[in-house]
Amino acid sequence: MSQAGTVSVAEKLERIRGRIRVAGRRAGRSDEVTVVAATKLVPAERITEAYRAGLRHFGENRVQELEAKRRQLSLPEATWHLIGHLQTNKAQRAAALFNRVDSLDSLRLAEKLAAAAAGLGRRLPVLVEVHLGEEPGKHGVEPDALVELAEKVAALEALALEGLMALPPYLEPPERVRPYFRRLRELAEALAHCGLPGVEMRELSMGMSHDFEIAIEEGATQVRLGTALFGPRPAKK
Ligand SMILES: *Cc1c(COP(=O)(O)O)cnc(C)c1O
């Protein structure tokens, strides 16, 4: 199946699933972990290859990029996650294009998405992205503003708040990321204990290629993998 000298997505996926099982077992977990293939800058043919290998969840960062790719793709059972920052003026297009928004980071965006989803007669599942760490310029709601945002998002009928997402800093070795993953899980637990109507905390989207095993040990239900599945992305200019 693989081209000379390269490992196919199917082979990589099989190895990743093995590592996911081992990490889950280490943490005494028996539930499923969803692999969300992070496909930014990955061409349509390779996305199709991933679909043929059995992947059904795909994450894209930008509305325009997925609009272009979807014209070349026919993946009837795919679930598309928006995992990048969304400007409010693209909420309408995003609600039509994506099955889920995992990077909800403001009330204003939530309101725009809810209006768009209502107009489409849909209920859109969302995760709130939390900003963990001190890095400036990153997106996500600050932890101390999370409960207030969650309460307001939950009141929007056209959105279904299902959990939290985070993009912690890149640290080596990956063990150093553990406290961030733990923090996100604790925030989700605290939020669940608030008992806000309409707030379900069943998804934790955390962990990327270099740290997904740690994230799984800390309770991730979804890991977002790009490099581990598709190899290095072309360098940004
Ligand atoms: C690109 C990206 C990923 C995947 O990153 P890798 O390190 O290549 O696995 C995950 N989450 C988000 C939000 C991304 O933009």
Side-chain angles (χ1 to χ4, degrees):
M1 284 289 282
S2 55
Q3 297 160 284
T6 66
V7 181
S8 71
V9 174
E11 288 167 276
K12 286 182 177 155
L13 180 61
E14 198 177 309
R15 286 178 210 166
I16 288 167
R17 291 219 200 274
R19 288 168 62 186
I20 288 175
R21 267 193 302 277
V22 172
R25 236 179 272 143
R26 261 198 310 271
R29 295 180 54 180
S30 54
D31 55 332
E32 283 281 315
V33 174
T34 302
V35 174
V36 179
T39 49
K40 59 173 177 275
L41 306 180
V42 175
E45 312 82 72
R46 305 224 54 217
I47 298 175
T48 300
E49 190 190 343
Y51 186 86
R52 292 214 181 103
L55 281 166
R56 290 295 177 268
H57 289 261
F58 299 88
E60 279 280 347
N61 296 63
R62 295 171 68 237
V63 168
Q64 308 87 293
E65 186 170 339
L66 183 56
E67 279 174 347
K69 280 178 188 168
R70 277 194 97 162
R71 282 182 227 116
Q72 305 168 254
L73 288 169
S74 168
L75 313 179
E77 289 169 31
T79 296
W80 290 96
H81 300 234
L82 178 63
I83 60 173
H85 176 66
L86 179 64
Q87 293 165 284
T88 51
N89 63 3
K90 296 198 183 112
Q92 186 74 45
R93 283 155 71 194
L97 191 63
F98 287 90
N99 303 98
R100 323 177 42 94
V101 173
D102 296 351
S103 48
L104 183 65
D105 57 6
S106 74
L107 179 60
R108 207 172 120 67
L109 178 59
E111 288 169 346
K112 295 273 183 194
L113 284 171
L120 294 164
R122 288 185 52 204
R123 191 147 189 260
L124 186 66
V126 297
L127 307 181
V128 168
E129 180 176 355
V130 182
H131 177 218
L132 299 177
E134 291 74 47
E135 289 168 291
K138 282 245 193 153
H139 298 289
V141 63
E142 295 301 324
D144 59 9
L146 175 61
V147 174
E148 193 188 337
L149 178 63
E151 189 170 10
K152 290 181 173 153
V153 170
L156 298 168
E157 295 255 314
L159 301 186
L161 176 53
E162 297 187 343
L164 304 181
M165 184 268 226
L167 196 82
Y170 183 99
L171 298 171
E172 291 287 1
E175 185 59 40
R176 287 177 60 208
V177 191
R178 186 184 299 276
Y180 296 90
F181 295 141
R182 189 167 291 168
R183 181 90 204 279
L184 192 70
R185 172 173 35 91
E186 288 168 356
L187 287 168
E189 286 168 357
L191 201 49
H193 279 127
C194 287
L196 299 171
V199 178
E200 266 191 79
M201 285 289 124
R202 57 184 149 94
E203 301 290 347
L204 273 182
S205 174
M206 58 187 195
M208 311 191 354
S209 293
H210 90 296
D211 55 16
F212 68 90
E213 287 147 307
I214 311 276
I216 289 167
E217 288 174 16
E218 294 300 329
T221 64
Q222 306 181 9
V223 293
R224 307 179 308 268
L225 305 180
T227 318
L229 285 167
F230 302 108
R233 288 178 286 275
K236 267 192 224 155
K237 285 269 169 70

